[in-house]
């Protein structure tokens, strides 16, 4: 009987130690597994950034003459004549009587209102763009343009290179 008790006690301790060992091993095994590299979360600003299509809706686009030539797409280099005025009618810039203006569209060389408002215009066309300050110069004064100014441009598309 004493031998049976000792054997039972021995089995009990083996089972307990084996169970403790398995628990320890399984917990440590999980920590040995490679942890996946987390993908950095997008910043709140990037998540809330409006699309170009949404921003384009802020521009009042009036085609005064629809051209018959090629249509401007992002990345095109264009040549235009233009006149820029404030809402009070004061002209702040013009290419009329000077050399036409050449720039690349859709790549940030001009104000965002031009990058978005010129897209789709056809050669030979004349377009009036009313651009809110957020797509112009925003809160910055720019030469004769006061801060937070809505800009009005009369643009004639002469060519696309």
């Amino acid at each position: 009987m004493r031998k049976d008790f000792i054997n039972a006690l021995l089995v009990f301790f083996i089972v307990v130690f084996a169970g403790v060992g398995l628990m320890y091993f399984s917990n440590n095994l999980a920590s040995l597994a490679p942890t996946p590299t987390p993908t950095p979360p997008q910043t709140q600003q990037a998540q809330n950034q409006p699309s170009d299509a949404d921003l384009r809706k802020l521009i009042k686009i009036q085609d005064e003459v629809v051209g018959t030539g090629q249509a401007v797409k992002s990345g095109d280099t264009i040549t235009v004549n233009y006149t820029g005025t404030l809402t009070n009618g004061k002209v702040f810039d013009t290419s009329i009587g000077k050399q036409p203006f050449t720039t690349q569209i859709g790549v940030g060389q001009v104000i965002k209102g031009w990058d978005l408002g010129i897209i789709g215009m056809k050669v030979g066309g004349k377009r009036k763009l009313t651009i809110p300050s957020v797509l112009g110069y925003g809160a910055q004064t720019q030469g004769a343009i006061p801060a937070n100014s809505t800009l009005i441009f009369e643009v004639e598309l002469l060519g696309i290179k």
Side-chain angles (χ1 to χ4, degrees), residues 13-29:
F13 281 117
I14 291 173
V15 169
V16 167
F17 283 122
V20 169
L22 280 174
M23 284 182 5
Y24 176 78
F25 181 71
S26 66
N27 285 344
N28 285 334
L29 185 62

Side-chain angles (χ1 to χ4, degrees), residues 132-154:
S133 66
V134 68
L135 298 177
Y137 297 105
Q140 297 177 339
T141 296
Q142 186 72 27
I145 304 170
N148 302 311
S149 291
T150 295
L151 308 176
I152 302 168
F153 287 95
E154 298 278 344

